[in-house]
């Protein structure tokens, strides 16, 4: 279905609504008899419309994801050579705070995927899982504690779980885990989403850490067909375009601050 995936998507605000709204505003500005103030806004409206249509296009978003995410064909991805037991550093993803400012450690879908992937890796290779994420440092007030509890439900024994809490962003997550990584005799494996992995690896390198990259999941869709449904704005792009733009902005901010 062009523009929307279904009736619910057509009713709920999303990227397709924004693209269609911008196109209508642009068309009104170019119509004969448009007010002077609206005609003066034509260049701005054209730029805004073009940008919104791009970020709402599944094809554009998918290609941008493919260019931004850790490569699918990287032979080093999750490669763990035999020998000493690995340490899997799992970066958290989720909510840290309630609207009133009190701590709230709750995993989002990305965080759940990371833990599931790390648990599967532990079943295959053994070793230990180091969960990194704040804002607190305990079992109940940190993403680290929440991830550890979830990993235990997946069958990872408690003595194979470690916590690195007290952090609120990727740089702090890596810093919280750095001591355990340096003390570990075997390979240290960085587990996070493919979109987040390049920035996380750059942060680790900046802090003097060498970690094996291990993407838990990719957002890009391999072999996405080119047709009107994937080129025109679509509601299905809303979530992925948000995650992509957030990662672009975070990458820029980290570079400007000298964290990568």
């Amino acid at each position: 279905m062009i523009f929307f995936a279904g009736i619910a998507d057509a009713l709920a605000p999303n990227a397709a609504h924004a693209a269609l709204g911008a196109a209508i505003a642009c068309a009104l500005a170019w119509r004969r008899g448009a007010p002077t103030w609206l005609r003066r806004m034509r260049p701005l409206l054209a730029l805004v419309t073009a940008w919104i249509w791009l970020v709402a296009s599944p094809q554009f978003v998918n290609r941008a994801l493919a260019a931004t995410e850790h490569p699918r064909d990287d032979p080093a991805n999750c490669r763990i050579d035999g020998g000493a037991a690995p340490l899997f550093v799992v970066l958290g993803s989720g909510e840290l705070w309630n609207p009133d400012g009190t701590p709230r450690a709750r995993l989002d879908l990305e965080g759940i995927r990371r833990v599931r992937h790390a648990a599967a890796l532990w079943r295959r290779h053994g070793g230990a899982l180091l969960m990194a994420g704040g804002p607190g440092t305990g079992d109940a007030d940190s993403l680290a504690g929440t991830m550890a509890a979830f990993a235990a439900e997946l069958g990872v024994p408690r003595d194979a779980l470690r916590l690195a809490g007290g952090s609120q962003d990727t740089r702090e997550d890596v810093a919280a885990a750095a001591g355990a990584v340096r003390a570990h005799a075997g390979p240290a494996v960085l587990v996070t989403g493919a979109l987040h992995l390049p920035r996380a690896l750059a942060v680790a390198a900046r802090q003097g850490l060498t970690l094996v990259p291990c993407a838990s999941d990719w957002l890009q869709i391999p072999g996405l067909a080119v047709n009107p449904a994937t080129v025109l704005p679509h509601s299905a792009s809303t979530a992925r375009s948000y995650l992509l733009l957030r990662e672009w902005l975070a990458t820029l901010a980290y570079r400007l601050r000298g964290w990568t």
Side-chain angles (χ1 to χ4, degrees), residues 56-125:
S57 165
Q59 195 63 238
F60 171 82
V61 173
N62 200 61
R63 296 190 181 202
L65 284 169
T68 306
E69 290 185 318
H70 188 76
R72 278 181 171 271
D73 56 356
D74 179 13
N77 187 63
C78 298
R79 180 175 177 177
I80 303 170
D81 297 324
L87 175 67
F88 298 101
V89 181
V90 189
L91 301 185
S93 178
E95 298 178 25
L96 299 181
W97 307 97
N98 285 315
D100 61 2
T102 55
R104 179 186 187 181
R106 180 179 180 181
L107 295 178
D108 58 15
L109 181 58
E110 175 61 27
I112 291 172
R113 288 170 177 161
R114 296 177 191 180
V115 177
R116 286 187 181 277
H117 189 61
L121 290 168
W122 176 85
R123 286 191 288 270
R124 194 178 312 141
H125 301 283

Side-chain angles (χ1 to χ4, degrees), residues 53-66 221-234 237 240:
W53 274 61
L54 273 179
V55 298
S57 165
Q59 195 63 238
F60 171 82
V61 173
N62 200 61
R63 296 190 181 202
L65 284 169
I221 304 172
L224 183 65
V226 178
N227 56 48
T230 65
V231 173
L232 293 174
H234 198 281
S237 294
R240 294 198 305 154

